[in-house]
Amino acid sequence: MLVDDAVALVPSIPGRRALLGLVGAPAAGKSTLARRLVAGVDERLGAGTAAYVPMDGFHLANAQLDRLDLRDRKGAPETFDVDGYVVLLGRIRAERTRPVYAPDFDRRVDEPLAAALVVPPGTGLVVTEGNYLADDGPGWSQVRDLLDELWYVDTPRRLREQRLLRRHIRGGRTPEEAHDFIAASERPNARRIEASRAHCTRVVDPRG
């Protein structure tokens, strides 16, 4: 059971902290699995033992994407503040006496939210997830060195794209616009992410 493996990552020495990364293609179920692992660890070891910090909080704001003419590529590696994400992971590893605040992403408004999440001082395991944690691109290659383990979340393409279609329609796109965005952006991103799985510690089924 994946919760058992997450519990095993929690350091036995007080004051120590481990970071677990989950990587996978869009709509693979990374955020759902991350939240399940955090809840499972807290249930076993006590509330506040684990915390969740998604990479999606480092999406560039839509205003920046418009300035860079990248709105139609939203979700690609260049549409994230990777340097900010790397700095945050470093702070999470180093800071154990004060809370560390982190951004989240609100799908309802399709924008990041500053300081919406917190890693309390006593947290022993931080679960982070995102598309490019195993990527070799500029900035992204630093992420792996900050993680204790990196799991690749493997979900069939057909299921992922069904989820993406529903997600984009809920977000305001027409079915045709959603299909076009998946073909033009989500699939190329997925291929890049799949090519990075060799850098991961293990491959997991999010339903496991």
Side-chain angles (χ1 to χ4, degrees):
M1 188 175 181
L2 296 179
V3 171
D4 295 332
D5 297 331
V7 168
L9 290 174
V10 179
S12 58
I13 301 174
R16 299 284 179 88
R17 179 175 288 163
L19 273 71
L20 168 62
L22 306 178
V23 64
K30 301 181 295 296
S31 60
T32 300
L33 175 58
R35 291 187 179 97
R36 180 158 62 88
L37 293 176
V38 168
V41 169
D42 280 357
E43 183 179 355
R44 303 272 191 90
L45 302 180
T49 302
Y52 171 50
V53 176
M55 185 199 83
D56 274 0
F58 289 88
H59 269 286
L60 296 182
N62 289 330
Q64 297 301 326
L65 295 178
D66 290 339
R67 181 181 65 84
L68 297 167
D69 196 24
L70 287 173
R71 181 76 80 99
D72 63 346
R73 292 285 295 131
K74 189 166 187 172
E78 62 270 24
T79 65
F80 290 89
D81 175 18
V82 60
D83 296 318
Y85 180 55
V86 167
V87 168
L88 177 68
L89 293 180
R91 288 184 60 212
I92 289 171
R93 290 207 71 92
E95 179 58 73
R96 303 185 184 96
T97 61
R98 299 174 60 195
V100 177
Y101 294 95
D104 199 0
F105 186 79
D106 189 336
R107 293 193 184 280
R108 294 169 297 178
V109 297
D110 201 34
E111 290 275 18
L113 297 174
L117 302 172
V118 62
V119 179
T123 298
L125 175 68
V126 174
V127 182
T128 185
E129 53 84 13
N131 292 348
Y132 304 109
L133 277 59
D135 198 85
D136 278 331
W140 296 107
S141 58
Q142 301 176 56
V143 172
R144 296 196 301 273
D145 291 338
L146 293 166
L147 303 175
D148 293 275
E149 288 200 14
L150 180 56
W151 298 355
Y152 185 89
V153 181
D154 194 20
T155 302
R157 172 179 161 180
R158 182 176 180 181
L159 176 57
R160 287 193 299 98
E161 293 199 353
Q162 287 173 345
R163 292 172 177 171
L164 286 170
L165 184 63
R166 292 194 295 269
R167 178 185 296 176
H168 291 310
I169 291 172
R170 284 197 303 268
R173 288 187 170 95
T174 67
E176 182 178 2
E177 289 170 339
H179 279 293
D180 288 345
F181 186 78
I182 290 169
S185 183
E186 304 281 24
R187 282 181 194 153
N189 293 342
R191 287 193 292 269
R192 176 168 178 162
I193 296 158
E194 288 162 358
S196 72
R197 67 188 285 168
H199 296 303
C200 297
T201 312
R202 60 189 288 194
V203 177
V204 301
D205 183 332
R207 297 161 294 185

